[in-house]
Amino acid sequence: MPRSLRRSSSFGVLAAVLSAVLSPAAAAPTREEIERSVKLREEWQYLTREIAWPAQWTPDSRAFTYRKTVEGGFAFETVNADTLAKTPAFDHRRLASELTRVLGRPVEALRLPFAEFRYEGDRQVIAFYLDEQGWRCSIVAYSCARQREAGRPRGFGVVRDLSVLADNHPRVAPDGREEAFVQGDNLVIRRNETGAVVQLSTDGSAGDFYDPETIAWSPDSRYLMIYRVRPGYQRRVVRVEAAPEGQIQPVVRSQLYPKPGDAVDVEQPVLFDVQTGRQTMIDPALFPNAYELSAPRWRLDGRTVAFDYVRRGHQEVKIIAVDAASGKAHAAVTEAADTFVYADRRFAHELGRSGDEIIWASERDGWNHLYLIDGRIGHVKNRITRGDWVVREVLRVDEAKRQIWFAASGMDKGEDPYFRHYYRVDFDGRNLTPLTPEAADHTATLSPDGRFLVDTYSRVDVPNVSVLRQSSDGAAVATITEGDISRLTAAGFRPPEVFSAKGRDGKTDIWGMIVRPRDYDPAKSYPVIENIYAGPHDSFVPKQFWPFGYHSGGDKVIGMQALADLGFIVVQIDGMGTANRSKAFQDVAWKNLQDSGFPDRILWHKAMAARDPSYDVSRVGIYGASAGGQSTLNALLFHGDFYKAGVAYNGCYDNRMDKISWNEQWLGWPVDASYAAASGVDHAARLKGKLFLIVGEQDSNVDPASSLQVVDALIKADKDFDLLIVPGGEHSVGRSSGPIDYITRRQAEFFIESLQPD
């Protein structure tokens, strides 16, 4: 019996009967329809032509290269910036043959397993990333090799892996006369003329050692800076791979994995005068309780050395500058916040030879903007940008012309506030010049010489267009590619609908998109499924055209379309607590990860239902992966009266179990009650609705024990749920690797059973 008929009052029963007659529900999909839906991406992804990815310039600025869609797949094309002549970037067949050999699996010429590369040398070598590994391939001899990264790994950047030897090759001074390295945990130098070894430090030990990977020589070879390190906690996550490929017995795997609250490496910058042997400990009063210090970098004049400092808890960031002659340090610039300083928005450019001026990105007025800082005293000389909009990226700082090229969103009123546009502005804030006028989301790359930019723009309903522009004023030089989606449209593709509604404050627009079944009938009633990712580090509703992602757990349009075609309306929303709007918008997430923007999301759903009678808010499901998995579980824990079913992938369900870097950024340090408040383990007894947990056994991003701790808590609370553990599955299980079709089918069947009428 349809759930709508199970009402207590006679009036409710009558209303439900009338609703069922006037707005009939769709019949449940057959197994054949489900399997066809699972294959939708495979059927559609090669139907477009001339859809270009953002361009990469050659180092000499004479050409640029991009990937684009062609008959049968994708091809890389290089364009001469002066003549606009187009040629293949390399021999795709020969490269595919070599990758087939070295990878041990078939690689097709028009389906190479990378989306971008860079030229090295005289355009005879290309470099790219594949399976999170760096590769270099000669495109003369067509030979490829994986790049081995030298040095000691660090767990999430803050704890050195002491099981791996540090890279202790001698660091040669700029004048070539001396070289520095570590011997017996202490810093030494070798005079190259005589071979004599001179010990510069005597206070190093195994528990407080000098790290050779931090050695930095001054340009005049007189000074060097190095960090003395007191190691942090070597926490290791251990995973059992139950069904390794090619063998019967399981394998135990171990990973350095610092978690919130763990002790991080303590780094003490030490300055040495190589001529006199003087050793100066840099006073840590300016950088107490450091979460991390950047590698030391010498200014061009050799008079000062600088490093970046992030305080534990992420509420303060500084550039510390040290005078080489005296060893005295000062804060060249300081950024502080009551909540957090957003790591991904940090930008600094030290001007000239001495760093006396610094271009600095700051959210101090509530929006991310650029400032010109006096690096000698740390004060603002002048603002460069201002307004209720966000600087998203800095492309280029031209010190000679005192101009900046940058991307921003939200400047053009009446547009989607997430659309990026590009601009040029002078250091004093004058002559702000728009460079990309089309009402769309733009991604631009500047030529190294600063003359041109390649602007690739699109919307979810407008395929990619790439234009070569003058960087001075944005004037179009030539259209390079225009996407053709005629065959995709003929196959049934329809772009998603963009919709905005007011958030919890009654004023702020919350933006989302809607994907309907291809056989959508407005007279019918459809259950709704929300695809959620609510991490504070970004916004997630697609703004560009390319709709092809992986089905389960993905955030792309075709995966949502495949699910919608089974009788759902599928949506995605950016609620408060996500990035790329004001700081106040993002600050909602501070020590409040359980919020996930749900007050805004629920209002958005209700506003859509008020406009569209087919949108049934009595039957809303939700799915997401990683932080989206955590949000999915929390939807059923904290908003179970609204959300009725959820599929949660690889969630960080208790932030105390997850990586130190992401969680201390948003929940702070020390670990406090806010971690427990967001915990799906602590609140498991609150579960309402139907839950399907999916986890990759070998997740190296989120400790898979987090999922099993939720399972334990749900069992203890006597809660029913479904669980799928994927042997050998990584964090990307069901999205970019693993048994995608199987997991996609299981998710579809779960929602059909949970949300559609009997």
Side-chain angles (χ1 to χ4, degrees):
M1 178 181 294
R3 190 173 291 115
S4 60
L5 296 185
R6 299 172 188 155
R7 311 254 176 116
S8 57
S9 70
S10 58
F11 178 81
V13 171
L14 176 61
V17 170
L18 289 174
S19 175
V21 171
L22 297 176
S23 302
T30 65
R31 178 63 179 264
E32 182 182 0
E33 289 171 329
I34 293 172
E35 291 180 353
R36 187 164 58 246
S37 174
V38 166
K39 301 294 185 183
L40 184 63
R41 178 178 183 271
E42 181 181 322
E43 292 177 5
W44 279 9
Q45 69 172 330
Y46 302 117
L47 296 181
T48 68
R49 300 292 176 267
E50 295 293 318
I51 298 285
W53 273 249
Q56 305 293 319
W57 284 87
T58 57
D60 59 10
S61 298
R62 296 173 60 187
F64 53 89
T65 299
Y66 48 81
R67 183 172 94 151
K68 69 176 185 178
T69 58
V70 296
E71 186 74 37
F74 309 92
F76 289 89
E77 190 167 70
T78 296
V79 180
N80 183 299
D82 294 318
T83 67
L84 302 182
K86 298 179 179 180
T87 56
F90 44 73
D91 188 322
H92 290 66
R93 292 186 181 276
R94 290 185 66 186
L95 185 60
S97 176
E98 169 64 2
L99 288 174
T100 295
R101 184 188 70 81
V102 296
L103 295 175
R105 64 176 189 260
V107 175
E108 298 182 42
L110 295 183
R111 300 183 188 180
L112 295 171
F114 56 92
E116 61 182 33
F117 70 87
R118 69 177 187 277
Y119 284 113
E120 291 187 352
D122 191 21
R123 292 168 59 176
Q124 295 185 345
V125 172
I126 63 171
F128 55 87
Y129 279 91
L130 168 60
D131 297 333
E132 299 184 358
Q133 294 280 334
W135 287 81
R136 295 177 76 249
C137 294
S138 163
I139 52 175
V140 177
Y142 283 89
S143 59
C144 295
R146 182 185 289 111
Q147 296 304 289
R148 308 288 182 183
E149 294 202 10
R152 173 177 277 161
R154 300 190 192 188
F156 302 113
V158 293
V159 177
R160 290 162 173 81
D161 188 343
L162 300 184
S163 69
V164 179
L165 292 176
D167 178 7
N168 194 24
H169 77 270
R171 272 66 175 183
V172 180
D175 64 11
R177 295 180 178 180
E178 292 151 332
E179 55 188 21
F181 56 98
V182 168
Q183 185 171 278
D185 297 317
N186 278 294
L187 177 66
V188 301
I189 60 169
R190 179 162 43 221
R191 314 286 188 190
N192 287 335
E193 285 188 6
T194 65
V197 174
V198 179
Q199 186 164 328
L200 292 183
S201 73
T202 59
D203 53 350
S205 66
D208 206 4
F209 59 86
Y210 283 86
D211 182 358
E213 296 180 0
T214 65
I215 293 171
W217 282 97
S218 64
D220 61 6
S221 302
R222 176 168 178 176
Y223 302 98
L224 62 78
M225 179 174 275
I226 186 173
Y227 290 168
R228 197 180 68 193
V229 179
R230 188 166 72 244
Y233 176 46
Q234 298 282 300
R235 180 189 295 279
R236 305 198 79 86
V237 165
V238 177
R239 301 184 298 272
V240 176
E241 186 172 1
E245 191 74 28
Q247 69 181 64
I248 295 174
Q249 298 303 321
V251 175
V252 176
R253 306 199 182 279
S254 175
Q255 176 186 0
L256 180 65
Y257 195 105
K259 295 184 178 183
D262 286 353
V264 301
D265 290 351
V266 176
E267 298 176 317
Q268 170 62 59
V270 186
L271 180 68
F272 290 89
D273 184 328
V274 178
Q275 290 183 5
T276 67
R278 186 189 69 194
Q279 175 183 9
T280 304
M281 297 289 175
I282 308 306
D283 184 357
L286 278 174
F287 47 97
N289 193 20
Y291 175 76
E292 63 177 337
L293 303 181
S294 71
R297 57 183 180 275
W298 284 89
R299 270 71 179 271
L300 294 176
D301 63 5
R303 296 172 58 188
T304 55
V305 58
F307 55 88
D308 303 333
Y309 154 70
V310 179
R311 187 166 186 159
R312 193 82 187 262
H314 296 271
Q315 292 181 291
E316 185 178 62
V317 174
K318 295 178 181 178
I319 294 178
I320 306 295
V322 180
D323 180 78
S326 68
K328 184 178 180 180
H330 76 280
V333 60
T334 300
E335 184 77 12
D338 293 333
T339 55
F340 56 83
V341 178
Y342 180 24
D344 289 352
R345 281 288 180 269
R346 295 206 303 267
F347 174 81
H349 181 93
E350 300 176 10
L351 299 170
R353 295 179 56 81
S354 62
D356 286 345
E357 289 183 314
I358 300 171
I359 306 294
W360 180 255
S362 169
E363 292 186 292
R364 62 190 64 189
D365 78 341
W367 302 84
N368 196 57
H369 281 296
L370 300 177
Y371 295 76
L372 183 63
I373 305 292
D374 186 329
R376 295 165 298 183
I377 57 176
H379 292 173
V380 175
K381 295 184 71 171
N382 64 262
R383 295 193 58 151
I384 300 173
T385 62
R386 68 176 66 238
D388 292 352
W389 46 271
V390 179
V391 172
R392 298 278 294 270
E393 177 190 14
V394 175
L395 268 70
R396 178 184 175 87
V397 176
D398 189 321
E399 297 188 21
K401 295 180 179 179
R402 295 182 72 82
Q403 294 178 331
I404 303 169
W405 283 259
F406 67 96
S409 57
M411 195 184 302
D412 296 321
K413 302 304 178 185
E415 266 191 16
D416 185 322
Y418 295 94
F419 283 172
R420 290 167 295 178
H421 290 272
Y422 288 77
Y423 304 87
R424 178 178 56 79
V425 68
D426 295 345
F427 282 9
D428 60 7
R430 298 179 181 177
N431 298 317
L432 178 66
T433 304
L435 304 175
T436 54
E438 294 82 5
D441 188 53
H442 295 254
T443 303
T445 53
L446 265 168
S447 59
D449 63 10
R451 289 192 305 151
F452 298 110
L453 58 82
V454 179
D455 170 27
T456 302
Y457 66 87
S458 67
R459 298 194 308 251
V460 292
D461 61 338
V462 174
N464 302 28
V465 177
S466 291
V467 179
L468 181 66
R469 300 183 185 276
Q470 295 178 2
S471 66
S472 58
D473 57 6
V477 176
T479 297
I480 305 302
T481 65
E482 290 187 80
D484 179 356
I485 62 169
S486 56
R487 284 202 278 181
L488 181 63
T489 301
F493 170 77
R494 298 293 181 270
E497 174 187 345
V498 176
F499 179 65
S500 65
K502 299 300 179 185
R504 69 188 76 180
D505 60 3
K507 299 181 295 184
T508 304
D509 287 330
I510 304 298
W511 288 73
M513 70 177 191
I514 302 159
V515 177
R516 302 178 189 274
R518 280 180 283 164
D519 62 356
Y520 171 73
D521 182 348
K524 293 181 179 179
S525 177
Y526 293 90
V528 176
I529 299 175
E530 180 179 346
N531 172 4
I532 190 169
Y533 197 96
H537 55 283
D538 207 345
S539 54
F540 306 99
V541 176
K543 302 299 173 183
Q544 299 177 334
F545 174 75
W546 186 248
F548 301 101
Y550 294 92
H551 295 299
S552 304
D555 62 356
K556 298 298 184 180
V557 176
I558 296 302
M560 296 168 66
Q561 184 68 65
L563 191 54
D565 285 349
L566 298 175
F568 302 98
I569 295 176
V570 186
V571 304
Q572 190 171 7
I573 309 161
D574 280 320
M576 290 187 184
T578 52
N580 300 323
R581 302 283 289 275
S582 69
K583 180 159 179 58
F585 191 100
Q586 189 182 22
D587 275 352
V588 169
W590 171 242
K591 292 187 176 295
N592 187 32
L593 286 181
Q594 70 276 14
D595 181 277
S596 293
F598 282 123
D600 313 299
R601 296 169 187 278
I602 291 170
L603 287 172
W604 189 97
H605 282 291
K606 291 179 177 178
M608 187 63 214
R611 193 181 78 163
D612 179 0
S614 73
Y615 194 97
D616 187 352
V617 289
S618 72
R619 296 182 290 158
V620 180
I622 187 168
Y623 71 96
S626 192
Q630 179 182 23
S631 294
T632 295
L633 177 60
N634 285 345
L636 301 181
L637 299 182
F638 302 112
H639 303 278
D641 291 335
F642 185 81
Y643 292 97
K644 301 302 190 293
V647 179
Y649 295 82
N650 290 67
C652 43
Y653 302 114
D654 189 310
N655 301 96
R656 295 165 292 193
M657 286 289 292
D658 194 21
K659 66 195 77 65
I660 188 173
S661 53
W662 195 85
N663 295 277
E664 285 196 10
Q665 166 78 89
W666 313 117
L667 293 172
W669 178 91
V671 173
D672 60 14
S674 67
Y675 285 79
S679 169
V681 176
D682 289 4
H683 299 281
R686 301 180 56 150
L687 180 69
K688 292 184 180 180
K690 297 183 179 181
L691 172 66
F692 185 10
L693 294 169
I694 301 175
V695 60
E697 173 200 59
Q698 293 301 308
D699 189 343
S700 62
N701 187 304
V702 174
D703 185 348
S706 183
S707 293
L708 274 295
Q709 289 181 359
V710 170
V711 168
D712 179 60
L714 290 170
I715 291 172
K716 289 175 178 175
D718 196 28
K719 296 292 184 178
D720 294 338
F721 60 96
D722 293 331
L723 172 66
L724 173 61
I725 299 175
V726 181
E730 247 285 3
H731 189 63
S732 54
V733 64
R735 293 185 296 160
S736 59
S737 66
I740 298 172
D741 289 355
Y742 175 81
I743 293 172
T744 302
R745 176 179 64 78
R746 290 291 307 277
Q747 173 179 275
E749 291 173 344
F750 173 82
F751 280 129
I752 291 166
E753 180 181 347
S754 301
L755 297 176
Q756 291 186 350
D758 298 338

